[in-house]
Amino acid sequence: MHYKQEHEVQNYAARLFKVPKTLANYFGKYGSKSPRNIIHQRISLEAKRQLTYTDRSVEEIAESLGFEDAGHFS
């Protein structure tokens, strides 16, 4: 559930004791999307889920996903 607060690759790389470039190289080596794309995809999936299955406002969803400004969320 860290994706709700941490949107940057460097946060995940630090948890794995790696630098972001090394993490990106691992993903590339195995033919995966970039770490950044995966993070954004996960945030987008959760936003779509909340928009579809809850009656929460866009502002509430943005806040729950770690966005300080709903304008940056949309």
Side-chain angles (χ1 to χ4, degrees):
M1 298 284 262
H2 296 289
Y3 67 90
K4 292 182 179 181
Q5 293 82 28
E6 298 178 357
H7 299 173
E8 300 296 325
V9 174
Q10 62 199 20
N11 297 325
Y12 297 95
R15 287 178 179 274
L16 297 168
F17 305 103
K18 304 289 183 196
V19 295
K21 182 66 176 171
T22 300
L23 195 58
N25 287 340
Y26 283 137
F27 278 72
K29 181 178 180 180
Y30 296 104
S32 183
K33 296 178 183 176
S34 75
R36 182 182 179 128
N37 284 345
I38 291 172
I39 294 166
H40 289 179
Q41 190 175 37
R42 180 62 184 103
I43 292 167
S44 177
L45 178 65
E46 180 61 19
K48 289 175 187 176
R49 187 192 69 76
Q50 289 190 37
L51 286 166
T52 302
Y53 297 109
T54 70
D55 59 353
R56 299 172 79 188
S57 70
V58 172
E59 290 79 13
E60 290 172 319
I61 295 170
E63 184 179 331
S64 77
L65 293 175
F67 291 87
E68 294 178 17
D69 181 3
H72 292 159
F73 171 70
S74 60

Coordinates of all heavy atoms in Angstrom, one line a residue:
M1 N 0.8 -1.2 0.0 CA 0.0 0.0 0.0 C 0.9 1.3 0.0 O 0.3 2.3 0.2 CB -0.9 0.0 1.2 CG -1.9 -1.2 1.2 SD -3.3 -0.9 0.1 CE -4.5 -0.3 1.1
H2 N 2.1 1.1 -0.2 CA 3.0 2.3 -0.2 C 2.7 3.2 -1.4 O 3.1 4.4 -1.4 CB 4.5 1.9 -0.2 CG 4.9 1.1 1.0 ND1 5.0 1.7 2.2 CD2 5.2 -0.2 1.2 CE1 5.4 0.9 3.1 NE2 5.5 -0.3 2.5
Y3 N 2.1 2.7 -2.4 CA 1.9 3.5 -3.6 C 1.0 4.7 -3.3 O 1.0 5.7 -4.1 CB 1.3 2.7 -4.8 CG -0.1 2.1 -4.5 CD1 -1.2 2.9 -4.8 CD2 -0.3 0.9 -3.8 CE1 -2.5 2.5 -4.5 CE2 -1.6 0.5 -3.5 CZ -2.7 1.2 -3.9 OH -3.9 0.8 -3.6
K4 N 0.2 4.6 -2.2 CA -0.7 5.7 -1.9 C 0.1 6.9 -1.4 O -0.3 8.1 -1.5 CB -1.7 5.3 -0.9 CG -2.7 4.3 -1.4 CD -3.7 3.9 -0.4 CE -4.7 3.0 -1.0 NZ -5.8 2.6 0.0
Q5 N 1.3 6.7 -0.8 CA 2.1 7.8 -0.3 C 3.3 8.1 -1.1 O 3.8 9.2 -1.1 CB 2.5 7.6 1.2 CG 1.4 7.6 2.2 CD 0.6 6.2 2.2 OE1 1.2 5.2 2.0 NE2 -0.7 6.3 2.5
E6 N 3.9 7.0 -1.7 CA 5.2 7.1 -2.3 C 5.0 6.9 -3.8 O 4.7 5.8 -4.3 CB 6.1 6.1 -1.8 CG 6.4 6.3 -0.3 CD 7.3 5.3 0.3 OE1 7.7 4.4 -0.4 OE2 7.7 5.5 1.5
H7 N 5.2 8.0 -4.6 CA 5.0 8.0 -6.0 C 6.3 8.0 -6.8 O 6.2 8.0 -8.0 CB 4.1 9.2 -6.5 CG 2.8 9.2 -5.8 ND1 1.9 10.3 -6.0 CD2 2.1 8.3 -5.1 CE1 0.8 10.1 -5.4 NE2 0.9 8.9 -4.8
E8 N 7.4 8.0 -6.1 CA 8.7 8.1 -6.8 C 9.5 6.8 -6.8 O 9.5 6.1 -5.7 CB 9.5 9.2 -6.2 CG 8.9 10.6 -6.2 CD 8.7 11.1 -7.6 OE1 9.6 10.9 -8.5 OE2 7.7 11.8 -7.9
V9 N 10.1 6.5 -7.9 CA 10.9 5.3 -8.0 C 12.0 5.3 -6.9 O 12.3 4.2 -6.3 CB 11.6 5.2 -9.4 CG1 12.5 4.0 -9.4 CG2 10.5 5.0 -10.4
Q10 N 12.6 6.4 -6.6 CA 13.7 6.4 -5.6 C 13.2 5.9 -4.2 O 14.1 5.3 -3.5 CB 14.2 7.9 -5.5 CG 13.3 8.9 -5.0 CD 13.7 10.3 -5.3 OE1 14.5 10.5 -6.2 NE2 13.2 11.2 -4.5
N11 N 12.0 6.1 -3.9 CA 11.5 5.6 -2.6 C 11.5 4.0 -2.6 O 11.9 3.4 -1.6 CB 10.1 6.1 -2.3 CG 10.0 7.6 -2.2 OD1 10.9 8.2 -1.7 ND2 8.9 8.1 -2.6
Y12 N 11.1 3.4 -3.7 CA 11.1 2.0 -3.7 C 12.5 1.4 -3.9 O 12.8 0.4 -3.3 CB 10.2 1.5 -4.9 CG 8.8 1.9 -4.7 CD1 8.3 3.1 -5.2 CD2 7.9 1.1 -3.9 CE1 7.0 3.5 -5.0 CE2 6.6 1.5 -3.7 CZ 6.2 2.7 -4.2 OH 4.9 3.1 -4.0
A13 N 13.3 2.1 -4.6 CA 14.7 1.7 -4.8 C 15.4 1.7 -3.5 O 16.2 0.8 -3.1 CB 15.4 2.6 -5.8
A14 N 15.2 2.7 -2.7 CA 15.8 2.8 -1.3 C 15.4 1.7 -0.4 O 16.2 1.1 0.3 CB 15.5 4.2 -0.7
R15 N 14.2 1.3 -0.5 CA 13.7 0.1 0.3 C 14.4 -1.2 -0.1 O 14.5 -2.1 0.7 CB 12.2 0.0 0.1 CG 11.3 1.0 0.8 CD 9.9 0.8 0.5 NE 9.1 1.8 1.2 CZ 8.6 1.7 2.4 NH1 9.0 0.6 3.1 NH2 7.9 2.6 3.0
L16 N 14.8 -1.2 -1.3 CA 15.5 -2.4 -1.8 C 17.0 -2.3 -1.8 O 17.7 -3.1 -2.3 CB 15.1 -2.7 -3.3 CG 13.6 -3.0 -3.4 CD1 13.2 -3.0 -4.9 CD2 13.3 -4.4 -2.8
F17 N 17.5 -1.1 -1.2 CA 18.9 -0.8 -1.1 C 19.6 -0.8 -2.5 O 20.7 -1.3 -2.7 CB 19.6 -1.8 -0.2 CG 19.0 -1.9 1.2 CD1 18.2 -3.0 1.5 CD2 19.2 -0.9 2.1 CE1 17.6 -3.0 2.8 CE2 18.6 -1.0 3.4 CZ 17.8 -2.0 3.7
K18 N 18.9 -0.2 -3.4 CA 19.4 0.0 -4.8 C 19.2 1.5 -5.1 O 18.5 2.2 -4.5 CB 18.6 -0.8 -5.8 CG 18.5 -2.3 -5.5 CD 19.8 -3.0 -5.7 CE 19.8 -4.4 -5.5 NZ 21.1 -5.1 -5.3
V19 N 19.9 1.9 -6.2 CA 19.7 3.2 -6.8 C 18.6 3.1 -7.8 O 18.4 2.0 -8.4 CB 21.0 3.9 -7.3 CG1 22.0 4.1 -6.2 CG2 21.6 3.0 -8.4
P20 N 17.9 4.1 -8.1 CA 16.8 4.0 -9.1 C 17.3 3.5 -10.5 O 16.5 2.7 -11.1 CB 16.3 5.5 -9.3 CG 16.6 6.1 -7.9 CD 17.9 5.5 -7.5
K21 N 18.4 3.8 -10.9 CA 18.9 3.4 -12.2 C 19.1 1.8 -12.2 O 18.8 1.2 -13.2 CB 20.3 4.1 -12.6 CG 20.8 3.7 -13.9 CD 20.0 4.2 -15.0 CE 20.6 3.9 -16.3 NZ 19.7 4.1 -17.4
T22 N 19.6 1.3 -11.1 CA 19.8 -0.1 -11.0 C 18.4 -0.8 -11.1 O 18.3 -1.9 -11.8 CB 20.5 -0.5 -9.7 OG1 21.8 0.1 -9.7 CG2 20.7 -2.0 -9.6
L23 N 17.5 -0.3 -10.4 CA 16.1 -0.9 -10.4 C 15.5 -0.8 -11.8 O 15.0 -1.8 -12.3 CB 15.2 -0.1 -9.4 CG 13.9 -0.7 -9.0 CD1 14.1 -2.1 -8.4 CD2 13.2 0.2 -8.1
A24 N 15.7 0.3 -12.5 CA 15.2 0.4 -13.9 C 15.9 -0.6 -14.8 O 15.3 -1.2 -15.7 CB 15.4 1.8 -14.4
N25 N 17.2 -0.8 -14.5 CA 17.9 -1.8 -15.4 C 17.4 -3.2 -15.1 O 17.3 -4.0 -16.1 CB 19.4 -1.7 -15.0 CG 20.1 -0.5 -15.6 OD1 19.6 0.1 -16.5 ND2 21.2 -0.1 -15.1
Y26 N 17.1 -3.6 -13.9 CA 16.5 -4.9 -13.6 C 15.2 -5.1 -14.4 O 15.0 -6.1 -15.0 CB 16.3 -5.1 -12.1 CG 17.5 -5.4 -11.3 CD1 17.6 -4.8 -10.1 CD2 18.4 -6.3 -11.7 CE1 18.7 -5.0 -9.3 CE2 19.6 -6.5 -10.9 CZ 19.7 -5.9 -9.7 OH 20.8 -6.2 -8.9
F27 N 14.4 -4.1 -14.3 CA 13.1 -4.1 -15.0 C 13.3 -4.3 -16.5 O 12.6 -5.1 -17.2 CB 12.2 -2.9 -14.7 CG 11.5 -3.0 -13.4 CD1 12.2 -2.9 -12.2 CD2 10.1 -3.1 -13.3 CE1 11.5 -2.9 -11.0 CE2 9.4 -3.2 -12.1 CZ 10.1 -3.1 -10.9
G28 N 14.2 -3.5 -17.0 CA 14.5 -3.6 -18.5 C 15.0 -4.9 -18.9 O 14.7 -5.4 -20.0
K29 N 15.9 -5.4 -18.1 CA 16.5 -6.7 -18.4 C 15.5 -7.8 -18.5 O 15.7 -8.7 -19.4 CB 17.5 -7.1 -17.2 CG 18.2 -8.4 -17.4 CD 19.2 -8.6 -16.3 CE 20.0 -9.9 -16.5 NZ 20.9 -10.2 -15.4
Y30 N 14.4 -7.8 -17.8 CA 13.4 -8.8 -17.8 C 12.2 -8.4 -18.7 O 11.1 -9.0 -18.6 CB 13.0 -9.2 -16.4 CG 14.2 -9.8 -15.7 CD1 14.9 -9.1 -14.7 CD2 14.6 -11.1 -16.0 CE1 16.0 -9.7 -14.1 CE2 15.7 -11.7 -15.4 CZ 16.4 -11.0 -14.4 OH 17.5 -11.5 -13.8
G31 N 12.4 -7.4 -19.5 CA 11.3 -7.0 -20.4 C 10.1 -6.4 -19.8 O 9.0 -6.3 -20.4
S32 N 10.2 -5.8 -18.6 CA 9.1 -5.2 -18.0 C 9.0 -3.8 -18.3 O 9.9 -3.2 -18.8 CB 9.2 -5.5 -16.5 OG 8.1 -4.9 -15.8
K33 N 7.8 -3.2 -17.9 CA 7.7 -1.7 -18.0 C 8.6 -1.1 -17.0 O 9.1 -1.7 -16.1 CB 6.3 -1.3 -17.7 CG 5.2 -1.8 -18.7 CD 3.9 -1.4 -18.2 CE 2.8 -2.0 -19.2 NZ 1.5 -1.7 -18.8
S34 N 8.9 0.2 -17.2 CA 9.7 0.9 -16.2 C 9.1 0.9 -14.9 O 7.8 0.9 -14.7 CB 10.0 2.3 -16.7 OG 8.9 3.1 -16.5
P35 N 9.9 1.0 -13.8 CA 9.3 1.2 -12.5 C 8.3 2.3 -12.3 O 7.3 2.2 -11.7 CB 10.5 1.4 -11.5 CG 11.6 0.8 -12.3 CD 11.3 1.0 -13.7
R36 N 8.7 3.4 -13.0 CA 7.8 4.6 -12.9 C 6.4 4.3 -13.6 O 5.4 4.7 -13.0 CB 8.5 5.8 -13.6 CG 7.7 7.0 -13.6 CD 8.4 8.2 -14.3 NE 7.6 9.3 -14.3 CZ 8.0 10.5 -13.9 NH1 9.3 10.7 -13.5 NH2 7.2 11.6 -13.9
N37 N 6.5 3.6 -14.7 CA 5.2 3.3 -15.4 C 4.4 2.3 -14.5 O 3.1 2.5 -14.5 CB 5.5 2.6 -16.7 CG 5.9 3.6 -17.8 OD1 5.7 4.8 -17.6 ND2 6.4 3.1 -18.9
I38 N 5.0 1.4 -13.8 CA 4.3 0.5 -13.0 C 3.6 1.2 -11.8 O 2.5 0.9 -11.4 CB 5.2 -0.7 -12.5 CG1 5.5 -1.5 -13.7 CG2 4.5 -1.5 -11.4 CD1 6.6 -2.6 -13.4
I39 N 4.3 2.1 -11.2 CA 3.8 2.9 -10.1 C 2.6 3.7 -10.6 O 1.5 3.7 -10.0 CB 4.9 3.9 -9.5 CG1 6.0 3.1 -8.8 CG2 4.2 4.9 -8.5 CD1 7.2 3.8 -8.5
H40 N 2.7 4.4 -11.7 CA 1.6 5.2 -12.2 C 0.4 4.4 -12.6 O -0.7 4.7 -12.4 CB 2.1 6.0 -13.4 CG 3.0 7.2 -13.1 ND1 3.6 8.0 -14.0 CD2 3.5 7.6 -11.9 CE1 4.3 8.9 -13.4 NE2 4.3 8.6 -12.1
Q41 N 0.7 3.2 -13.2 CA -0.4 2.3 -13.6 C -1.1 1.8 -12.3 O -2.4 1.7 -12.3 CB 0.3 1.1 -14.3 CG -0.7 0.2 -14.9 CD -0.1 -0.9 -15.8 OE1 1.0 -1.4 -15.4 NE2 -0.6 -1.2 -16.9
R42 N -0.4 1.5 -11.2 CA -1.1 1.1 -10.0 C -1.9 2.2 -9.4 O -3.1 2.0 -8.9 CB 0.0 0.6 -9.0 CG -0.6 0.1 -7.7 CD -1.6 -1.1 -8.0 NE -2.2 -1.5 -6.8 CZ -3.5 -1.3 -6.5 NH1 -4.3 -0.6 -7.3 NH2 -4.0 -1.7 -5.4
I43 N -1.4 3.4 -9.4 CA -2.2 4.6 -8.9 C -3.4 4.8 -9.7 O -4.5 5.0 -9.2 CB -1.3 5.8 -8.8 CG1 -0.2 5.7 -7.8 CG2 -2.2 7.1 -8.5 CD1 0.9 6.7 -7.9
S44 N -3.3 4.7 -11.0 CA -4.4 4.9 -12.0 C -5.5 3.8 -11.7 O -6.7 4.1 -11.7 CB -3.9 4.8 -13.4 OG -4.9 4.9 -14.3
L45 N -5.0 2.5 -11.6 CA -6.0 1.4 -11.3 C -6.8 1.7 -10.1 O -8.0 1.5 -10.0 CB -5.2 0.1 -11.2 CG -6.0 -1.1 -11.0 CD1 -7.0 -1.4 -12.1 CD2 -5.1 -2.3 -10.7
E46 N -6.1 2.1 -9.0 CA -6.8 2.4 -7.7 C -7.8 3.5 -7.9 O -8.9 3.5 -7.3 CB -5.8 2.6 -6.6 CG -6.4 2.9 -5.3 CD -7.3 1.7 -4.7 OE1 -7.1 0.6 -5.2 OE2 -8.1 2.0 -3.8
A47 N -7.4 4.6 -8.6 CA -8.2 5.7 -8.8 C -9.5 5.3 -9.6 O -10.6 5.7 -9.2 CB -7.5 6.8 -9.6
K48 N -9.3 4.5 -10.6 CA -10.5 4.0 -11.4 C -11.4 3.2 -10.5 O -12.6 3.3 -10.6 CB -10.0 3.2 -12.6 CG -9.3 4.0 -13.7 CD -8.8 3.2 -14.8 CE -8.0 4.0 -15.8 NZ -7.4 3.1 -16.8
R49 N -10.8 2.3 -9.7 CA -11.6 1.5 -8.8 C -12.4 2.3 -7.8 O -13.6 2.1 -7.7 CB -10.7 0.5 -8.0 CG -11.4 -0.5 -7.2 CD -10.5 -1.2 -6.2 NE -10.1 -0.4 -5.1 CZ -10.9 0.0 -4.1 NH1 -12.1 -0.4 -4.0 NH2 -10.4 0.8 -3.1
Q50 N -11.8 3.3 -7.2 CA -12.5 4.2 -6.3 C -13.6 5.0 -7.0 O -14.7 5.2 -6.5 CB -11.5 5.1 -5.5 CG -10.7 4.3 -4.5 CD -9.9 5.2 -3.6 OE1 -10.4 6.3 -3.2 NE2 -8.7 4.8 -3.3
L51 N -13.3 5.5 -8.2 CA -14.3 6.3 -8.9 C -15.5 5.5 -9.3 O -16.6 5.9 -9.3 CB -13.6 6.9 -10.2 CG -12.7 8.1 -9.9 CD1 -11.9 8.4 -11.2 CD2 -13.5 9.3 -9.5
T52 N -15.2 4.2 -9.6 CA -16.3 3.3 -10.0 C -17.1 2.8 -8.9 O -18.4 2.7 -9.0 CB -15.7 2.1 -10.8 OG1 -15.0 2.6 -12.0 CG2 -16.8 1.2 -11.3
Y53 N -16.5 2.4 -7.8 CA -17.2 1.6 -6.8 C -17.4 2.4 -5.5 O -17.9 1.8 -4.5 CB -16.4 0.3 -6.5 CG -16.3 -0.6 -7.6 CD1 -15.1 -0.8 -8.3 CD2 -17.5 -1.2 -8.1 CE1 -15.1 -1.6 -9.4 CE2 -17.4 -2.1 -9.2 CZ -16.2 -2.3 -9.8 OH -16.2 -3.1 -10.9
T54 N -17.1 3.7 -5.4 CA -17.3 4.5 -4.2 C -18.1 5.7 -4.6 O -18.1 6.1 -5.8 CB -16.1 4.9 -3.5 OG1 -15.3 5.8 -4.2 CG2 -15.2 3.6 -3.2
D55 N -18.6 6.4 -3.6 CA -19.3 7.7 -3.9 C -18.4 8.8 -3.5 O -18.9 9.9 -3.3 CB -20.7 7.7 -3.3 CG -20.6 7.5 -1.8 OD1 -19.5 7.2 -1.2 OD2 -21.7 7.7 -1.1
R56 N -17.1 8.6 -3.3 CA -16.2 9.6 -2.9 C -16.0 10.6 -4.0 O -16.0 10.3 -5.2 CB -14.9 9.0 -2.5 CG -15.0 8.0 -1.4 CD -13.8 7.2 -1.1 NE -12.9 8.1 -0.4 CZ -11.6 7.8 -0.1 NH1 -11.1 6.7 -0.5 NH2 -10.9 8.6 0.6
S57 N -15.7 11.8 -3.6 CA -15.4 12.9 -4.6 C -14.0 12.7 -5.2 O -13.2 12.0 -4.6 CB -15.6 14.3 -4.0 OG -14.5 14.5 -3.1
V58 N -13.8 13.4 -6.3 CA -12.4 13.3 -6.9 C -11.4 13.9 -5.9 O -10.3 13.3 -5.8 CB -12.4 14.1 -8.2 CG1 -11.0 14.3 -8.7 CG2 -13.3 13.5 -9.3
E59 N -11.7 14.9 -5.2 CA -10.8 15.5 -4.2 C -10.5 14.5 -3.1 O -9.3 14.4 -2.7 CB -11.4 16.8 -3.6 CG -11.5 17.9 -4.6 CD -12.7 17.9 -5.5 OE1 -13.6 17.1 -5.3 OE2 -12.7 18.6 -6.5
E60 N -11.5 13.8 -2.6 CA -11.2 12.8 -1.6 C -10.4 11.6 -2.1 O -9.5 11.2 -1.4 CB -12.6 12.2 -1.1 CG -13.4 13.2 -0.3 CD -14.8 12.6 0.0 OE1 -15.4 12.0 -0.9 OE2 -15.2 12.8 1.2
I61 N -10.6 11.2 -3.3 CA -9.8 10.1 -3.9 C -8.4 10.6 -4.1 O -7.4 9.9 -3.8 CB -10.4 9.6 -5.2 CG1 -11.8 9.0 -4.9 CG2 -9.5 8.7 -5.9 CD1 -12.6 8.6 -6.1
A62 N -8.2 11.8 -4.6 CA -6.9 12.4 -4.8 C -6.1 12.4 -3.5 O -5.0 12.0 -3.4 CB -7.0 13.7 -5.4
E63 N -6.8 12.8 -2.4 CA -6.1 12.9 -1.1 C -5.8 11.5 -0.6 O -4.7 11.3 -0.1 CB -7.1 13.6 -0.1 CG -6.4 13.8 1.2 CD -7.3 14.5 2.2 OE1 -8.2 15.3 1.8 OE2 -7.2 14.2 3.4
S64 N -6.7 10.5 -0.8 CA -6.4 9.2 -0.4 C -5.2 8.5 -1.1 O -4.6 7.6 -0.6 CB -7.6 8.3 -0.5 OG -7.8 7.9 -1.8
L65 N -4.9 9.0 -2.3 CA -3.8 8.5 -3.1 C -2.6 9.3 -3.0 O -1.6 9.1 -3.7 CB -4.3 8.3 -4.6 CG -5.3 7.3 -4.8 CD1 -5.8 7.3 -6.3 CD2 -4.8 5.9 -4.4
G66 N -2.6 10.3 -2.0 CA -1.3 11.0 -1.8 C -1.1 12.2 -2.6 O 0.0 12.8 -2.6
F67 N -2.1 12.7 -3.2 CA -2.0 14.0 -4.0 C -2.4 15.2 -3.1 O -3.5 15.1 -2.6 CB -2.9 13.9 -5.3 CG -2.4 13.0 -6.3 CD1 -2.8 11.6 -6.3 CD2 -1.5 13.4 -7.3 CE1 -2.3 10.7 -7.2 CE2 -1.0 12.5 -8.2 CZ -1.4 11.1 -8.2
E68 N -1.6 16.2 -3.0 CA -1.9 17.3 -2.2 C -2.9 18.2 -2.9 O -3.7 18.9 -2.3 CB -0.6 18.1 -1.9 CG 0.4 17.4 -1.0 CD 1.6 18.2 -0.8 OE1 1.6 19.4 -1.0 OE2 2.6 17.6 -0.4
D69 N -2.9 18.2 -4.3 CA -3.8 19.0 -5.0 C -4.5 18.1 -6.0 O -3.9 17.4 -6.8 CB -3.0 20.1 -5.8 CG -3.8 21.0 -6.6 OD1 -5.0 20.9 -6.6 OD2 -3.2 21.9 -7.3
A70 N -5.9 18.2 -6.0 CA -6.7 17.4 -6.9 C -6.4 17.7 -8.4 O -6.5 16.9 -9.3 CB -8.1 17.6 -6.6
G71 N -5.9 18.9 -8.7 CA -5.5 19.3 -10.0 C -4.4 18.5 -10.6 O -4.4 18.1 -11.7
H72 N -3.5 18.1 -9.7 CA -2.3 17.2 -10.1 C -2.8 15.8 -10.3 O -2.2 15.0 -11.1 CB -1.2 17.2 -9.1 CG -0.5 18.6 -9.0 ND1 0.2 19.0 -7.9 CD2 -0.4 19.6 -9.9 CE1 0.7 20.2 -8.2 NE2 0.3 20.6 -9.4
F73 N -3.9 15.4 -9.6 CA -4.4 14.1 -9.7 C -5.1 13.9 -11.0 O -4.9 12.9 -11.7 CB -5.4 13.9 -8.6 CG -6.2 12.6 -8.7 CD1 -5.6 11.4 -8.5 CD2 -7.6 12.7 -8.9 CE1 -6.4 10.2 -8.6 CE2 -8.3 11.5 -9.0 CZ -7.7 10.3 -8.8
S74 N -5.9 14.8 -11.4 CA -6.7 14.6 -12.7 C -5.8 14.8 -13.9 O -6.0 14.2 -14.9 CB -7.9 15.6 -12.7 OG -7.4 16.9 -12.7

